[in-house]
Amino acid sequence: MLIVIQGENEWQLFKCWNGTIKWICESPWRKGAGRKNWFIGVMQFEPMREVMESDVRFERLKASGPGGQHVNKTESAVRAIHIASGISVKVQSERSQHANRRIARLLLGNRLQQLQNIQHAQIKAKRRLFHHQIERGNAVRIFVGIEFIPKGEYIPNRHCQSL
C-alpha cells in the first residue's frame, strides 16, 4: 500500500512510523490460521516531480545544412534546454522559429517522459524489493487485535514528542 503524507509536520510524522510495525491479530480473512504476527514495513520513497514550462530555456541559433542563403542569415533553429536535468534538443527542420520551438517543446517533453518512465520503473523495483527487507522483530510500534489497539505503554522517540 502506498500512502502520501502531506502537511506541515509530514517529516516528523514519518520519523515516528519509519521502520517495522508489528500487528498481533488473527487474520479476519483466514480464520483458524496459525499466523498471528504480522509485520508492516514503513519506508519513505521520493515522489516524482512534474516538469513545469518555466523549467525550459529556449535559445535561438542559425540552422546548418542545405537551404542556401536563408539558412545562413536567419536564426530559425531552436535549442530547448530543460534546466533541472540538462536535457536539450535542437530543432531546425522548419523554416519558422515558432514552428521549430513548438516541435522542440514536444521533443523535450517526450525525452523527459522517457526519463521519468525509467525513474518510475526504478522506484517501482525498489518498492518491490523492500518487501524482502522488512525486519521481523525490533518493531517501532506494536498493535493488537482487529481494532489495531496499541500494545502496552508507548513511549515516543524524540522525533514524535511534538506530535
Side-chain angles (χ1 to χ4, degrees), residues 71-89:
V71 171
N72 298 330
K73 284 185 171 180
T74 63
E75 292 184 339
S76 60
V78 173
R79 178 179 291 126
I81 303 167
H82 183 248
I83 298 168
S85 66
I87 295 174
S88 69
V89 294

Side-chain angles (χ1 to χ4, degrees), residues 61 71 82 112 115 117 127 133 140 152 159 163:
L61 48 129
V71 171
H82 183 248
L112 290 171
L115 180 65
N117 289 345
R127 288 178 187 152
Q133 298 170 352
V140 294
H159 300 295
L163 298 173

Side-chain angles (χ1 to χ4, degrees), residues 26-156:
E26 287 189 33
S27 173
W29 298 280
R30 291 192 274 165
K31 301 286 184 190
R35 183 173 177 184
K36 292 189 174 96
N37 292 333
W38 302 88
F39 296 95
I40 303 164
V42 178
M43 182 179 182
Q44 179 185 20
F45 292 95
E46 292 296 320
M48 294 181 68
R49 291 178 173 50
E50 293 184 27
V51 178
M52 303 300 287
E53 181 73 23
S54 60
D55 294 338
V56 179
R57 185 178 79 229
F58 291 97
E59 296 176 355
R60 300 177 318 213
L61 48 129
K62 292 181 182 176
S64 60
Q69 196 172 14
H70 177 78
V71 171
N72 298 330
K73 284 185 171 180
T74 63
E75 292 184 339
S76 60
V78 173
R79 178 179 291 126
I81 303 167
H82 183 248
I83 298 168
S85 66
I87 295 174
S88 69
V89 294
K90 180 182 174 186
V91 178
Q92 61 183 24
S93 58
E94 300 294 323
R95 290 183 69 164
S96 162
Q97 185 183 112
H98 296 291
N100 284 334
R101 186 179 173 116
R102 186 172 45 249
I103 293 170
R105 201 173 319 131
L106 291 172
L107 287 174
L108 187 61
N110 185 29
R111 290 227 180 127
L112 290 171
Q113 184 62 46
Q114 289 174 352
L115 180 65
Q116 281 185 336
N117 289 345
I118 290 169
Q119 290 173 343
H120 183 66
Q122 291 171 343
I123 290 172
K124 196 173 181 179
K126 188 176 178 183
R127 288 178 187 152
R128 210 172 23 252
L129 291 174
F130 176 65
H131 171 75
H132 300 291
Q133 298 170 352
I134 296 174
E135 186 178 348
R136 307 302 196 250
N138 195 20
V140 294
R141 293 184 178 219
I142 299 174
F143 296 90
V144 178
I146 194 74
E147 293 84 23
F148 216 65
I149 299 170
K151 180 180 180 181
E153 186 175 327
Y154 173 71
I155 301 171

